[in-house]
Amino acid sequence: MTGAGPIPVRTTIFEAMSAKAVAAGAINLGQGFPDAAGPASVRAEAARLMLEGPHQYPRMRGTDALRTALSAFYADTQGPAFDPGTDIVVTSGATEALAAAILALLSPGDGAIVIEPAYDAYAPLVRRAGGLPQFVRLSPPGWRISRELLEAAITPATRLLLVNDPVNPTGRMLDDGERAAIRDVALAHDLLIVADEVWEEVRPGSRPHVSLAADPALAGRVVKIGSAGKIFQVTGWKVGWALAHAPLAARIAATHQYLTFTTPPALQDAVAFGLNDERGWLPVMRAEVEAGRARLADGLTAAGYAVLPSEATWFLSIDLAASGLALTDVDFCTRIVDQHGVAGIPVSAFFETAGAPANVVRFCHAKAPGTIAAALDRLAAARKALG
Ligand code: PMP
């Protein structure tokens, strides 16, 4: 399905699998949320602010404290300079930032490049804006973006490139060659870029995140999207943001004001506190996430699963065919949740185009060691039963 139209009436695969996991009493390695909950000091600050206030509508673009903290955090960690007064819009999660950006920047009939596997909100939001998703399909195990693949999808109607880095679901970080391909194509075709960088902090300490917003050649073209849910492991808080040069940010703010208008100010200021005063927690978090990734990857390999490379995010994937399992990803996920008590996500859910790979399953590894150990026991039994 490619034409413009309403958002389909169906529940997302994440919600559906979590519901199945609850019903079956399964260990939920499906939906992406960690067992841990952010730094205690940030949660304590949120609790204090919930008692003492602020409680009323904050500024439409976000509290002064959070916009100032975001500007300093990104200047220090990634380079780009965002003016807190004109370049930042705080939103209710990255999901709202995506919605506000896509609705603001696309007009009916405009094309938007959606790179598959794609985060599930992109194509429905493009259609809701009256736009046309133009799919670029990547292939496992490398899942690399190339200039040729992008060029093949671009038409005179294309206005926007939606880029996710690090990538959910594959756990990849884009390399210099992929960023160069994106830059060249954006400049050659005069495109805007929505850079969904919510996973920017969830990667090895040795591999800094390189933001498309830090590329001087792309100045004025990039909307950078982030989320406190991923940085501070508080996915339910839904504090996100869009950052862009002033004219783009103004269009996004104008859209945001009619979507949610604002986001709880106590949570915004608690996130500001975290960005200013708890940066020392980030390396600790990264080391824990890396340990969880290694624990799940090693255990799955020992159980006879072929694990695909993954460097970032809370996710890793297995290749069923390479594991000697002749099941589709949907069948495998249904069997393991119903019969073996573990929920995963079929990666085919991140594709709309025909002929997408149906042999890759995503697991969330941001779980306590005991949770991973219990899931591995069950998945080892599943491997024997299904092989
Ligand atoms: N983009 C990507 C790539 C994501 O993985 C997620 C969350 N899973 C989001 C956006 C949404 O983030 P939020 O929860 O802040 O709305």
Side-chain angles (χ1 to χ4, degrees), residues 255-294:
T255 307
H256 156 74
Q257 71 187 333
Y258 297 129
L259 286 171
T260 59
F261 187 54
T262 59
T263 297
L267 295 180
Q268 292 193 46
D269 285 357
V271 171
F273 167 80
L275 292 171
N276 291 330
D277 294 348
E278 278 297 355
R279 292 187 197 178
W281 176 83
L282 296 173
V284 180
M285 173 274 281
R286 284 191 203 111
E288 273 171 18
V289 171
E290 288 320 299
R293 186 189 319 276

Side-chain angles (χ1 to χ4, degrees), residues 92-95 98 119 122 164 168 196 198-199 227 230 235 238:
S92 292
T95 307
L98 285 165
Y119 186 59
Y122 298 164
N164 177 210
N168 174 9
D196 178 347
V198 296
W199 296 103
S227 171
K230 314 301 189 212
T235 60
K238 298 299 278 190

